Amino acid sequence: MDVRQPIATNGGDWLTKFGELWKKQLTQINESFGSSVQEVRMPPEYPTDVPIIYVQKESIIDVLKFLKEQPGFEYGFLADITATDEEIDPRFEVVYNLFSHQHKCRIRLKVRVSEGEEVPTATSIWLGANWAEREVFDMYGVKFKGHPDLRRILMDSRWVGHPLRKDYPLRGYQLFTDSEPVDPTLLE
Amino acid sequence: MGKDGSLGYLTTRLDDFVNWGRKNALWPLPFGTSCCGIEMMASLCSDYDMSRFGAEVVRFSPRQSDLLIVAGIINLKMAPVLKVVYDQMRDPKFVMSFGACASSGGIFNVYSVLQGIDTLIPVDVYVPGCPPAPEGLIHALMRLQDLVAKGETHSQKKLAAFKQKDA
Ligand code: SF4
């Protein structure tokens, strides 16, 4: 291998393996949810490893359920929910990474939300979304509508602000020398 | 011998003797929170063998140990735990800050990491390195033994000042 040649990053091996499948799935998604799909970014036109689908936040639950249950998709595994702070309006992008054990391929969904807006929770589809959404709330302050237990998960409950927002100072330490007070409702 | 049980001149000699005993029988509590902890384990194992210096009996209860080895990153959320563990140890207690993270936050100068455990508890010896080699730990241990023998660790100095105030 010539090390001076740039390495192909546009999906690489995955593109040859899953390119056809992704194309088929995308046309099907467009048929069913045409109006709520805002934007599609496909490799190799867009430098990404897996297709990215931007969905309106009102229909994200329907799309996730569709991807999980529809034959030919079977994205049964929610790998992660995370977010990014884009510093534009709408400010945040909530990212859903899905994996299909059936087809061994991945797909990524994104939802754009402005500050203060709520995203419907995915806990009705995957119970595991509970903690992932709590992490997004903790780090970015994005709220999830209908979440059963939306508390901070990583930072101290007395923490002020959301540390992964771009306007949070990198060195904004908040030191608590005593232990976190126990929520009395948890002991009941 | 005085009425209060003090031995006058003899006490200083007795202190020396007790400190000699202390320094050769340190009971470490391994507070290994990340990669440095692995290096600490290596120092305890046969190749480096910390028992040569009388400090091989590792205790995981703060009440049974007198040397707190903090080896690794201390997150801000972990900081109160470290403070509680330190407070639970009985005097005289010694603290070793093992590695860059414990001593200064290391490469993690971010919102979530404590910038050196000495902002929270008094530290007697620091070991530089990321991670320090086991030799570093052993060197620090011997250095700590010197301090203990001379009664110059933070906890011993505090006790001495306390005694002087009482006298
Ligand atoms: S000093 Fe280096 S080796 Fe030790 S805990 Fe920190 S990053 Fe890991």
Side-chain angles (χ1 to χ4, degrees):
Chain A
M1 194 183 94
D2 188 353
V3 289
R4 284 161 302 183
Q5 290 300 317
I7 299 165
T9 51
N10 289 351
D13 196 20
W14 285 0
L15 191 61
T16 49
K17 266 198 211 150
F18 307 121
E20 288 307 309
L21 183 69
W22 281 333
K23 272 210 195 90
K24 221 166 60 201
Q25 292 178 343
L26 278 175
T27 42
Q28 218 173 325
I29 291 174
N30 269 327
E31 276 167 22
S32 313
F33 297 98
S35 55
S36 36
V37 175
Q38 293 169 330
E39 193 186 335
V40 175
R41 292 180 176 170
M42 268 289 279
E45 296 83 39
Y46 188 85
T48 170
D49 46 355
V50 299
I52 302 171
I53 310 169
Y54 284 85
V55 184
Q56 265 171 358
K57 70 172 191 302
E58 287 77 20
S59 43
I60 179 67
I61 296 306
D62 294 335
V63 177
L64 285 173
K65 205 174 246 155
F66 179 80
L67 287 183
K68 185 184 177 187
E69 284 159 9
Q70 191 70 15
F73 289 81
E74 282 123 349
Y75 287 101
F77 180 62
L78 176 73
D80 195 16
I81 301 178
T82 179
T84 51
D85 182 356
E86 301 289 331
E87 294 192 298
I88 49 167
D89 194 55
R91 183 169 176 183
F92 302 105
E93 283 180 4
V94 180
V95 186
Y96 299 80
N97 286 311
L98 306 185
F99 178 70
S100 163
H101 288 296
Q102 216 98 1
H103 308 285
K104 311 224 171 356
C105 69
R106 291 172 188 275
I107 204 161
R108 188 170 300 145
L109 273 92
K110 292 194 181 182
V111 178
R112 296 197 174 102
V113 271
S114 311
E115 194 154 4
E117 278 184 342
E118 293 189 342
V119 189
T121 177
T123 42
S124 54
I125 307 173
W126 289 281
L127 283 179
N130 189 327
W131 282 17
E133 286 176 353
R134 275 175 70 185
E135 189 190 351
V136 172
F137 166 70
D138 192 357
M139 292 292 146
Y140 294 92
V142 176
K143 291 217 171 86
F144 290 87
K145 207 195 304 181
H147 191 284
D149 180 28
L150 200 61
R151 285 179 294 132
R152 285 185 184 277
I153 187 168
L154 292 172
M155 310 311 293
D156 198 289
S157 60
R158 294 162 286 180
W159 195 274
V160 180
H162 301 281
L164 284 194
R165 286 189 174 198
K166 288 273 198 268
D167 56 9
Y168 191 91
L170 178 63
R171 280 153 205 169
Y173 318 112
Q174 295 177 34
L175 177 59
F176 305 102
T177 49
D178 53 340
S179 296
E180 201 171 350
V182 177
D183 181 0
T185 57
L186 291 181
L187 301 176
E188 281 164 12
Chain B
M1 198 196 229
K3 233 180 180 176
D4 57 349
S6 66
L7 289 166
Y9 164 78
L10 262 181
T11 16
T12 48
R13 308 307 312 159
L14 186 65
D15 273 353
D16 280 352
F17 178 67
V18 169
N19 282 341
W20 174 82
R22 268 181 195 142
K23 89 170 201 194
N24 288 311
L26 292 166
W27 292 50
L29 186 150
F31 203 89
T33 45
S34 37
C35 9
C36 272
I38 305 295
E39 217 65 17
M40 179 178 60
M41 292 167 210
S43 327
L44 288 163
C45 291
S46 57
D47 259 20
Y48 293 95
D49 197 8
M50 241 163 68
S51 58
R52 289 179 292 157
F53 307 94
E56 85 278 28
V57 192
V58 169
R59 287 292 137 139
F60 292 90
S61 159
R63 304 196 189 271
Q64 296 174 350
S65 45
D66 56 2
L67 168 60
L68 179 62
I69 306 181
V70 184
I73 308 151
I74 301 297
N75 292 315
L76 288 187
K77 212 172 173 187
M78 196 69 177
V81 179
L82 178 65
K83 180 99 173 74
V84 168
V85 167
Y86 176 77
D87 286 344
Q88 282 184 344
M89 288 168 67
R90 288 179 307 166
D91 279 316
K93 49 196 173 189
F94 320 113
V95 180
M96 183 192 292
S97 170
F98 186 71
C101 283
S103 308
S104 68
I107 54 172
F108 305 103
N109 192 356
V110 288
Y111 65 93
S112 57
V113 176
L114 189 67
Q115 299 301 297
I117 58 167
D118 46 9
T119 55
L120 206 64
I121 57 180
V123 177
D124 295 310
V125 274
Y126 298 87
V127 192
C130 178
E135 289 90 343
L137 179 57
I138 289 169
H139 182 79
L141 191 79
M142 290 159 70
R143 184 80 193 85
L144 182 71
Q145 287 180 333
D146 294 347
L147 287 178
V148 174
K150 285 194 225 136
E152 282 178 2
T153 59
H154 284 284
S155 141
Q156 280 168 313
K157 272 196 277 192
K158 206 174 81 191
L159 276 181
F162 206 68
K163 269 190 203 153
Q164 222 156 39
K165 214 172 75 201
D166 269 5

